[in-house]
Amino acid sequence: MESKTWPVLRSWNRAIFSKEEKAVQEKYNYHDIERKWQARWEESSLYRVTEDPHKKKYYCLEMFPYPSGNLHMGHVRNYSIGDVVARFKTMQGFNVLHPMGWDAFGLPAENAAIKHGIPPYKWTVDNIANMKRQLKSMGLSYDWKREATTSFPDYYKWTQWLFLQLYKRGLAYKKQGYVNWCPSCATVLANEQVVDGACERCETPVEKKALEQWYFRTTAYAQELLDSLVDLPGWPEKVKIMQENWIGRSEGAEIYFTEEKSGEKIAVYTTRPDTTFGVSYVVLAPEHPLVEKLIANTSYEKPVKAFVKKVQKMSEIVRTSAETEKEGMFIGVYVINPVNQEKVPVWVANYVLYEYGTGAVMGVPAHDERDFMFAQKYNLPIRVVIQPHPAADGPANELSASEMTEAYVGDGKMVNSGKYSGMPNREGGRTLAEDLAKEGAGQVKVNYRLRDWLISRQRFWGAPIPIVYCEKCGAVPVPDDQLPVLLPLQVEFRPTGESPLNSIPEFLHTSCPQCGGPAKRETDTMDTFVCSSWYFLRYTDPKNTAQAFAKEKADYWMNVDQYIGGVEHAILHLMYARFFTKVLADIGLVSVREPFQNLLTQGMVLKDGAKMSKSKGNVVSPEEIIEQYGADTARLFILFAAPPERDLEWSDQGVEGCFRFLNRVWRLVYHYLEDVRQQKELLVETEQLSQDDKAIRRLLHGTIKKVSEDIEQRFNFNTAISAIMELVNGLYHYREKAGQNKKLLRECMETLIVLLAPFVPHLSEELWECLHTGTGKGESVHRQPWPQYEPAALEAEEIEIVLQINGKVREHLLVPAGISREELEKRALATGKVQGALEGKQLVKVITVPDKLVNVVIK
RNA sequence: GCGGCUGUGGCGGAAUUGGCAGACGCUCUAGAUUCAGGUUCUAGUGGGGGCAACUCCAUGGAGGUUCAAGUCCUCUCAGCCGCACCA
């Protein structure tokens, strides 16, 4: 740690701080104190930061909020945690970037416009103003000069510019596809935004629609997004597992089955090429284009079409549920299995997904649960091609198709599989896939569950996609010098389900940037997750009008050393931001390939065991709490009540307790104020200390050690705070002792206040000022170096040893520190307790742990 | 169904490396201060037994390893979260 050498500031505006002896109020008046310091910090630009090549940087970031208009307790928790980290790192001597901004595009602004006739931009800026006021009342150490707002043209200009960078590299493209449509939001949704077949925002069941939409090619980065998770040891395992599942990599093979009459090839994807000899049918997804083609002008055309229609009518929830009955229909054609030239029927069935793999699968009833059920229902043949390895002892449990009641999906020996028979299935499957590839009848294939990211939204309040459609030239990107494509400010909102941009001729009609002819603008806007995929980069250079951000600045600050936010973003935002960072790295705009080095996912704030919500009526308003107890109390409670990752149960009485503690601190410092003011120096030598003095100093330095470690290594603010409470309790007791050392008192008071500074910035700043009038050390407590503990001060002369007999605590021994194992054992055995217990018994063993415990085993 | 997390006093939680279970806070009880209430200060506050010294029981449950287990192993129960016809 470099705190000791860290130079005290240069630019502090000393005039702001009074040099006069300050009259201190006896009572802790949080209201005046908080207002006073918030104003002074702002006047003196205490929290401004700039790049400084001579200092080690630290980028502390909390997920920026959607400006709903009011801060809730989840925000308070998120930002309190981040503020402790930022302040602590600053005191440790790091150059700390701690910014804040607004994820300001999105549906609620449009809903407000429809409902109340307020223009979205107005609604948004008003909400921002209110939330900013609330944030400022919390006393957070943000550099507000770096504020970024995604819905402002100076920001979304660069969102559009980044879109075009992706477009130029083929990473943004338009395609026709079956997409998720939320009828209530009247827009399409990304896969990630569909939860249990419903819209994640409004819970309306999602419909499938065939539409032409814009996509980002996230699949091009699927493998890297998966691989580089191992480069993130500072991320919670849980989040990494969720991302891993979402990417859903699987290894297998594509195998081509040829239709006997037309020669049409059906590609199926399987992870089990070892079971290819067991295929008894092939199934196509209802949406598969070959279905229509193969049944054209046959007697099967009518019934199959009716079946397909019926399946497509099912809601997404019902259709993708594992419980839904598997249904299918033979479509009248046969294909040839390339491994054995067998003729197998082609079916269409509701359980095959068109979006995954090739949209077609081979049915192997003996070795796949779904295929087994399907085969039983429709009387399709079952053929065993894998025999389980016989158990070590018991009888051979040979499978036979007629006796099977469920599929065997385990490993084993290949049988009935031509030249592969006898091989272990894993190895045989690999060989078989390679052989098929050589013959042109298949290929080894890796598949991902991850799809490309659908980014177009049929909404108004988002960044317009900067594309123009020309009758002659087709889709043409808007040239950089014509950015941003501005959203019109005056818009009429009617709940028509169509983007209002379509009904604004001035927006819609434009000229082609290429040929100058008449052209129409793209009226879809971008998913708001696009805006939040790069905001952490904008913070490094927020005022840049020539670039999204200067590379040198991004390179100085990136990556984010500590990112803090809710676990609900484990997949969406965090995956998209990772994708963007990798793309930007490949373009050469940044040097890092991962945006967030360490991630902390905080738990929810609960009341009466449930998440706070209006419908449950258990919402506690941060504004009211701050009004009633002050921001310092609110922050302290929320940090003290639980460690950050866990859910936190709100308790009004717990808040009272924290308020009481701060009053206790206030009274303690007030009590000693005169003594401390008389004594301008800190303790240097320790020889003349009394036993009481030594004890309190040991407590003090033990607290420094504990608080430092709890913040730095574990983010366990709750135990850090409890250690400070113990110190305060100790100091109260010390007050009763006679003849206190005044230098020591100053050391205790100063250290106590500095330790409290990251948690309760206003109170500690006020007390620091009270303590330092006239000492020349009166600059902000938040510019003080973090204290170091003295190992020597921790050493006690006597140590309490636990004496156990047969593993049970029987006595405590007071012994000189550092005595030898032998001496300790000797003393333990000499005690009356042990001697008594030994009477008539035998000493079996003595376990001695120096400085800790002795366990005497007696029989 | 698969994967993950969490189970400790009346409550929130602590015990970081296998070494005194319950730190700290809330609640509650008593004493001091006070006309009184509140505030504040002091002491106590897991359960059972005992006048007491003391002692037994106790970390969702059942086993096990160990001188020693909240912590390690096996099985099991409950709650929460994520994924789920992904071939």
Side-chain angles (χ1 to χ4, degrees):
Chain A
M1 275 184 275
E2 44 263 274
S3 350
K4 271 196 174 151
T5 54
W6 189 62
V8 190
L9 79 157
R10 306 147 268 264
S11 59
W12 185 256
N13 185 349
R14 199 159 291 253
I16 289 174
F17 293 89
S18 156
K19 280 182 198 157
E20 323 272 298
E21 285 276 309
K22 208 179 155 295
V24 180
Q25 291 192 24
E26 197 174 341
K27 230 179 136 247
Y28 167 46
N29 185 342
Y30 64 87
H31 200 259
D32 291 352
I33 292 170
E34 293 186 355
R35 269 216 306 231
K36 163 183 161 185
W37 288 107
Q38 282 160 18
R40 288 205 187 172
W41 293 333
E42 194 158 339
E43 275 169 58
S44 60
S45 305
L46 184 65
Y47 305 120
R48 290 240 47 202
V49 278
T50 50
E51 298 72 43
D52 179 349
H54 304 295
K55 270 170 123 184
K56 269 172 87 179
K57 70 91 186 180
Y58 191 91
Y59 190 171
C60 176
L61 183 66
E62 300 113 50
M63 291 179 183
F64 66 166
Y66 177 78
S68 59
N70 273 299
L71 225 53
H72 57 67
M73 279 302 171
H75 293 126
V76 174
R77 189 171 195 198
N78 194 174
Y79 307 142
S80 297
I81 294 166
D83 203 46
V84 174
V85 175
R87 288 180 187 278
F88 176 72
K89 286 290 167 182
T90 302
M91 293 172 91
Q92 278 193 326
F94 288 91
N95 194 27
V96 174
L97 176 57
H98 190 215
M100 182 41 71
W102 311 96
D103 188 12
F105 274 133
L107 220 39
E110 271 180 82
N111 293 338
I114 295 166
K115 232 175 160 177
H116 305 116
I118 312 162
Y121 79 88
K122 172 99 174 47
W123 187 84
T124 304
V125 294
D126 287 352
N127 282 353
I128 289 174
N130 193 48
M131 284 179 83
K132 194 168 168 181
R133 178 185 59 77
Q134 293 175 329
L135 280 180
K136 286 193 168 176
S137 77
M138 283 181 65
L140 303 162
S141 61
Y142 295 128
D143 179 356
W144 280 107
K145 286 264 156 48
R146 289 177 181 267
E147 182 177 4
T149 306
T150 61
S151 67
F152 287 0
D154 67 342
Y155 185 93
Y156 71 72
K157 171 181 180 174
W158 299 111
T159 306
Q160 292 173 339
W161 183 81
L162 288 166
F163 171 92
L164 292 173
Q165 298 309 303
L166 267 70
Y167 179 76
K168 279 174 196 157
R169 286 162 180 82
L171 293 169
Y173 68 97
K174 203 173 188 189
K175 76 166 180 199
Q176 172 88 30
Y178 285 95
V179 298
N180 304 303
W181 173 267
C182 172
S184 162
C185 299
T187 186
V188 298
L189 300 172
N191 259 317
E192 289 81 357
Q193 288 165 321
V194 180
V195 176
D196 294 330
C199 172
E200 67 153 0
R201 282 204 91 91
C202 65
E203 292 172 26
T204 308
V206 165
E207 297 169 3
K208 283 282 177 184
K209 261 197 174 181
L211 285 173
E212 206 181 18
Q213 296 288 307
W214 285 94
Y215 292 83
F216 282 162
R217 211 176 289 283
T218 36
T219 51
Y221 286 83
Q223 190 62 49
E224 198 198 329
L225 286 167
L226 180 66
D227 289 343
S228 52
L229 285 173
V230 303
D231 302 330
L232 299 172
W235 279 41
E237 214 49 45
K238 174 192 164 96
V239 173
K240 287 192 280 188
I241 289 167
M242 281 166 74
Q243 292 214 354
E244 220 175 286
N245 292 340
W246 193 264
I247 295 166
R249 183 194 147 102
S250 76
E251 285 176 27
E254 238 172 66
I255 300 173
Y256 310 135
F257 288 73
T258 314
E259 204 272 314
E260 51 171 1
K261 292 190 189 108
S262 63
E264 199 73 59
K265 281 192 173 160
I266 298 179
V268 305
Y269 174 72
T270 179
T271 53
R272 296 292 303 273
D274 53 312
T275 63
T276 312
F277 281 84
V279 171
S280 39
Y281 59 100
V282 163
V283 201
L284 298 174
E287 294 85 357
H288 201 294
L290 275 178
V291 174
E292 212 167 320
K293 207 166 163 185
L294 292 172
I295 58 174
N297 306 316
T298 69
S299 59
Y300 289 90
E301 184 163 10
K302 247 178 104 180
V304 171
K305 273 195 171 167
F307 173 77
V308 168
K309 221 174 187 170
K310 188 181 121 193
V311 172
Q312 284 180 320
K313 259 199 187 149
M314 288 173 150
S315 77
E316 188 77 353
I317 316 166
V318 175
R319 187 170 160 193
T320 57
S321 160
E323 278 93 62
T324 301
E325 173 86 10
K326 290 167 189 28
E327 279 187 90
M329 187 176 272
F330 176 52
I331 68 166
V333 297
Y334 293 87
V335 288
I336 304 300
N337 185 340
V339 296
N340 56 10
Q341 314 311 314
E342 259 180 35
K343 200 170 116 174
V344 294
V346 178
W347 286 61
V348 59
N350 62 349
Y351 73 94
V352 177
L353 305 172
Y354 179 58
E355 296 86 14
Y356 185 76
T358 60
V361 301
M362 58 190 208
V364 186
H367 305 293
D368 182 281
E369 283 175 48
R370 295 154 301 181
D371 297 345
F372 187 84
M373 282 194 266
F374 196 74
Q376 283 203 315
K377 178 165 179 180
Y378 292 104
N379 263 321
L380 291 157
I382 297 170
R383 184 193 295 161
V384 173
V385 291
I386 309 285
Q387 282 294 353
H389 298 296
D393 28 11
N397 46 344
E398 286 259 306
L399 291 174
S400 90
S402 56
E403 285 160 25
M404 286 173 85
T405 55
E406 57 175 6
Y408 175 69
V409 297
D411 289 331
K413 191 179 72 178
M414 289 173 74
V415 295
N416 296 323
S417 297
K419 63 174 174 177
Y420 304 98
S421 295
M423 291 175 86
N425 69 314
R426 299 264 158 189
E427 185 194 329
R430 220 173 301 128
T431 314
L432 187 143
E434 282 160 14
D435 291 348
L436 284 176
K438 276 178 217 151
E439 296 160 20
Q443 58 172 311
V444 176
K445 185 92 194 243
V446 171
N447 235 311
Y448 300 92
R449 211 185 73 118
L450 181 78
R451 315 283 157 77
D452 280 344
W453 173 14
L454 198 170
I455 59 138
S456 20
R457 297 290 179 273
Q458 290 68 49
R459 304 301 316 186
F460 168 77
W461 195 234
I465 294 174
I467 293 285
V468 160
Y469 299 105
C470 167
E471 284 162 31
K472 277 189 226 149
C473 314
V476 180
V478 174
D480 290 0
D481 60 10
Q482 289 176 28
L483 295 178
V485 175
L486 283 169
L487 280 173
L489 290 181
Q490 290 302 330
V491 189
E492 267 218 38
F493 281 89
R494 287 158 300 154
T496 58
E498 205 188 35
S499 167
L501 289 174
N502 272 310
S503 55
I504 302 171
E506 308 88 82
F507 180 85
L508 190 62
H509 300 292
T510 183
S511 52
C512 171
Q514 250 169 49
C515 70
K520 281 186 176 179
R521 285 196 190 280
E522 169 66 67
T523 55
D524 281 359
T525 53
M526 284 184 246
D527 182 1
T528 55
F529 279 105
V530 177
C531 307
S532 57
S533 289
W534 71 281
Y535 77 109
F536 44 90
L537 291 162
R538 183 66 180 176
Y539 282 146
T540 67
D541 191 11
K543 294 284 187 293
N544 201 327
T545 54
Q547 290 166 284
F549 49 88
K551 183 158 190 292
E552 316 84 71
K553 293 196 175 177
D555 283 352
Y556 175 78
W557 291 114
M558 287 297 285
N559 13 12
V560 173
D561 292 274
Q562 186 63 56
Y563 198 31
I564 305 159
V567 73
E568 64 274 16
H569 293 109
I571 295 172
L572 291 154
H573 165 59
L574 290 170
M575 182 89 81
Y576 295 148
R578 292 181 64 219
F579 163 73
F580 245 73
T581 304
K582 289 174 192 305
V583 171
L584 299 195
D586 284 340
I587 295 174
L589 294 173
V590 291
S591 301
V592 295
R593 298 197 73 82
E594 282 290 341
F596 313 123
Q597 199 58 52
N598 296 290
L599 175 68
L600 178 75
T601 50
Q602 104 229 11
M604 286 187 295
V605 182
L606 310 177
K607 177 85 194 288
D608 309 320
K611 193 178 171 175
M612 288 186 185
S613 76
K614 270 190 206 141
S615 57
K616 288 198 199 82
N618 60 349
V619 178
V620 180
S621 144
E623 201 160 354
E624 282 169 25
I625 294 294
I626 290 172
E627 182 58 36
Q628 201 178 344
Y629 297 99
D632 282 342
T633 296
R635 294 169 54 131
L636 189 72
F637 168 72
I638 222 157
L639 294 164
F640 177 64
E645 288 95 340
R646 277 224 232 170
D647 287 349
L648 179 153
E649 175 68 29
W650 184 267
S651 154
D652 291 331
Q653 284 167 332
V655 177
E656 287 275 357
C658 287
F659 184 63
R660 236 179 345 245
F661 170 70
L662 292 183
N663 277 286
R664 214 164 132 80
V665 170
W666 184 271
R667 281 191 303 273
L668 179 73
V669 177
Y670 183 83
H671 175 85
Y672 280 129
L673 198 61
E674 279 318 304
D675 286 344
V676 172
R677 275 182 172 172
Q678 283 165 24
Q679 183 53 61
K680 311 271 188 218
E681 286 159 47
L682 293 179
L683 193 74
V684 190
E685 77 287 12
T686 54
E687 295 93 74
Q688 303 118 340
L689 292 181
S690 68
Q691 285 303 316
D692 289 334
D693 292 342
K694 280 185 185 167
I696 199 74
R697 197 157 189 270
R698 190 155 58 238
L699 174 63
L700 177 71
H701 283 262
T703 307
I704 298 172
K705 182 168 191 277
K706 169 112 180 106
V707 173
S708 307
E709 288 170 356
D710 280 354
I711 297 179
E712 174 137 52
Q713 296 164 19
R714 312 197 301 158
F715 288 142
N716 277 11
F717 308 122
N718 56 333
T719 50
I721 292 164
S722 81
I724 299 175
M725 287 174 170
E726 285 180 79
L727 173 62
V728 170
N729 291 345
L731 288 167
Y732 264 84
H733 288 121
Y734 183 63
R735 206 166 63 161
E736 309 299 316
K737 314 279 186 197
Q740 300 120 337
N741 182 311
K742 296 220 170 91
K743 286 184 178 179
L744 177 58
L745 275 178
R746 176 165 274 277
E747 187 188 14
C748 288
M749 293 302 125
E750 285 201 6
T751 308
L752 169 66
I753 291 164
V754 172
L755 291 177
L756 278 168
F759 305 103
V760 286
H762 310 90
L763 172 100
S764 38
E765 189 77 301
E766 178 71 13
L767 290 177
W768 187 257
E769 186 192 44
C770 293
L771 234 53
H772 285 95
T773 47
T775 61
K777 240 178 114 182
E779 62 272 335
S780 172
V781 69
H782 303 296
R783 300 280 181 133
Q784 298 306 312
W786 187 255
Q788 305 282 301
Y789 70 90
E790 280 175 32
L794 296 180
E795 280 165 25
E797 281 153 30
E798 283 196 311
I799 296 182
E800 206 182 59
I801 301 286
V802 175
L803 175 58
Q804 296 182 336
I805 296 173
N806 289 337
K808 293 194 170 164
V809 181
R810 281 295 172 268
E811 207 174 336
H812 293 100
L813 293 179
L814 217 51
V815 304
I819 61 165
S820 69
R821 181 182 290 266
E822 293 74 24
E823 174 65 19
L824 180 57
E825 193 173 316
K826 209 175 101 191
R827 287 189 187 217
L829 290 175
T831 56
K833 271 267 158 45
V834 173
Q835 288 304 314
L838 264 174
E839 247 167 79
K841 302 264 178 78
Q842 220 184 351
L843 181 66
V844 180
K845 196 184 212 183
V846 183
I847 287 109
T848 310
V849 183
D851 287 352
K852 234 175 206 161
L853 132 163
V854 179
N855 187 9
V856 182
V857 186
I858 290 167
K859 227 178 164 177

